[in-house]
Amino acid sequence: MQLITTWTDIDPALKGASVAMGNFDGVHRGHQAVIDAARRPDAPLGVITFEPHPRQVFAPDAPPFRLMNAEARQNRLAKLGVSRLYELPFTRDLAGLTPEDFAREVLVEGLGITHVVVGADFQFGKGRAGTAAVLQDLGRRFGFDVTIQPLVGGEDGAISSTAIRTALAEGRVQDAADMLGHYHRIDGEVLHGEKRGRALGYPTANMAVEGLHLPRLGVYAVKVEVLGGPHRGFYDGVASLGVRPMFGENKPNFEVHLFDFAGDLYGQHLSVALVEYLRPEAKFDGLQALIDQMDADSERARAILARG
């Protein structure tokens, strides 16, 4: 998948795509329907999205809400067969373009798209004045096709990133997966930590979660993909998301233990799927009680993951 981070002066060979357009936070089933509608036999499949998320620009002090960082979104879109990702820098200047200016300057003159698909609730342009219907009118004026994709519904109504955040915050990871069409994942680089897990017999890969909407704190059965390096591949494991009350810390941390693994993962990038919520985080009466609980967590996670 080619990553393009501008709409100005791009290689003409990168123009002419049929694209899906939106924020695609979570790349849930509704987003996937928009992307599928953009597939055409006579054009490359592209996605236009924005980084940072517009809400981060207009409400920088709001609580973290993103289901995915940019890396996780890129990984998921690549798995869906997207060949060109136009990840446009979202600034107040871009937000200040009128719908007509956005269509002309970005979509036509900049990216040279031939077809664009948006969800029925899509809004764009200064003051969010542009709707899907407005985009359709602009497409007729400027010579590109527009498809409006109906919203995809679940058992409780339209699938949305908001509903997925609620499910994750309550530890209902399977409900979230049903709406996403895939397990919720936390992607990122393995960072150096305190190395306490190694001393306890449970070495962990530590990953940052800043800026993300946090699922319910606690312990999870996980499936892990190591995305590169000598240990590239798929592993089962158990992960802890929390503030490590046993050690008096209060900053959320994500620690992943890979079963039956030996090796150095520092600097490598992981994609960690939350398969099942096991229990809330807790403070234990001594290290041996903690180790006993980690043994029990691992045994239970192995049994869950063995079911496929």
Side-chain angles (χ1 to χ4, degrees):
M1 183 177 73
Q2 294 174 289
L3 176 63
I4 300 100
T5 58
T6 181
W7 70 86
T8 60
D9 299 320
I10 70 170
D11 187 332
L14 297 176
K15 297 186 178 185
S18 174
V19 302
M21 183 162 60
N23 291 313
F24 300 113
D25 186 27
V27 194
H28 57 58
R29 286 172 49 209
H31 297 149
Q32 292 168 42
V34 174
I35 294 168
D36 285 342
R39 299 182 193 273
R40 285 191 165 183
D42 57 347
L45 175 61
V47 162
I48 296 175
T49 191
F50 307 95
E51 189 61 35
H53 191 291
R55 277 177 59 182
Q56 292 175 268
V57 173
F58 291 118
D61 298 325
F65 66 92
R66 289 185 67 156
L67 293 169
M68 284 180 159
N69 58 24
E71 179 182 350
R73 184 173 57 192
Q74 291 167 15
N75 292 337
R76 176 52 51 183
L77 292 173
K79 288 181 181 296
L80 293 176
V82 174
S83 61
R84 296 177 188 172
L85 174 57
Y86 303 97
E87 191 177 86
L88 305 184
F90 191 84
T91 63
R92 290 190 177 272
D93 287 342
L94 178 63
L97 293 176
T98 65
E100 179 176 342
D101 288 342
F102 179 86
R104 182 181 61 253
E105 295 178 22
V106 178
L107 299 183
V108 178
E109 297 173 357
L111 304 180
I113 59 98
T114 58
H115 174 222
V116 59
V117 183
V118 295
D121 59 349
F122 182 73
Q123 293 178 288
F124 70 106
K126 185 176 182 180
R128 296 168 63 86
T131 63
V134 167
L135 183 62
Q136 209 163 40
D137 289 339
L138 291 168
R140 283 190 284 268
R141 286 176 55 190
F142 292 126
F144 59 88
D145 295 333
V146 176
T147 298
I148 301 175
Q149 179 64 29
L151 300 182
V152 173
E155 292 184 1
D156 299 320
I159 291 172
S160 69
S161 296
T162 298
I164 294 165
R165 290 186 196 102
T166 298
L168 290 171
E170 295 173 355
R172 296 185 287 110
V173 293
Q174 187 56 58
D175 288 344
D178 290 343
M179 290 183 280
L180 285 164
H182 54 83
Y183 288 121
H184 177 66
R185 290 178 173 270
I186 296 174
D187 289 26
E189 182 180 357
V190 177
L191 308 173
H192 286 275
E194 299 296 329
K195 299 180 175 61
R196 293 193 185 101
R198 183 179 303 174
L200 299 174
Y202 282 91
T204 59
N206 294 269
M207 298 167 63
V209 291
E210 282 84 3
L212 296 178
H213 168 83
L214 292 182
R216 185 181 179 187
L217 300 186
V219 178
Y220 291 83
V222 297
K223 288 187 175 291
V224 183
E225 182 179 1
V226 180
L227 297 172
H231 303 293
R232 181 173 183 171
F234 298 86
Y235 303 85
D236 289 347
V238 64
S240 173
L241 176 63
V243 296
R244 295 177 286 189
M246 187 73 184
F247 302 101
E249 301 185 21
N250 58 16
K251 181 181 179 181
N253 186 63
F254 190 54
E255 299 177 277
V256 186
H257 173 70
L258 280 63
F259 296 145
D260 310 315
F261 176 84
D264 185 348
L265 289 173
Y266 292 121
Q268 298 300 322
H269 287 248
L270 308 186
S271 181
V272 183
L274 306 186
V275 176
E276 188 163 318
Y277 184 78
L278 300 181
R279 63 169 176 85
E281 62 177 347
K283 188 171 183 178
F284 296 92
D285 185 18
L287 290 180
Q288 188 56 52
L290 172 60
I291 293 170
D292 291 344
Q293 183 61 59
M294 292 165 70
D295 290 342
D297 294 337
S298 296
E299 182 177 356
R300 185 179 170 198
R302 284 181 185 271
I304 290 167
L305 297 169
R307 300 199 296 259

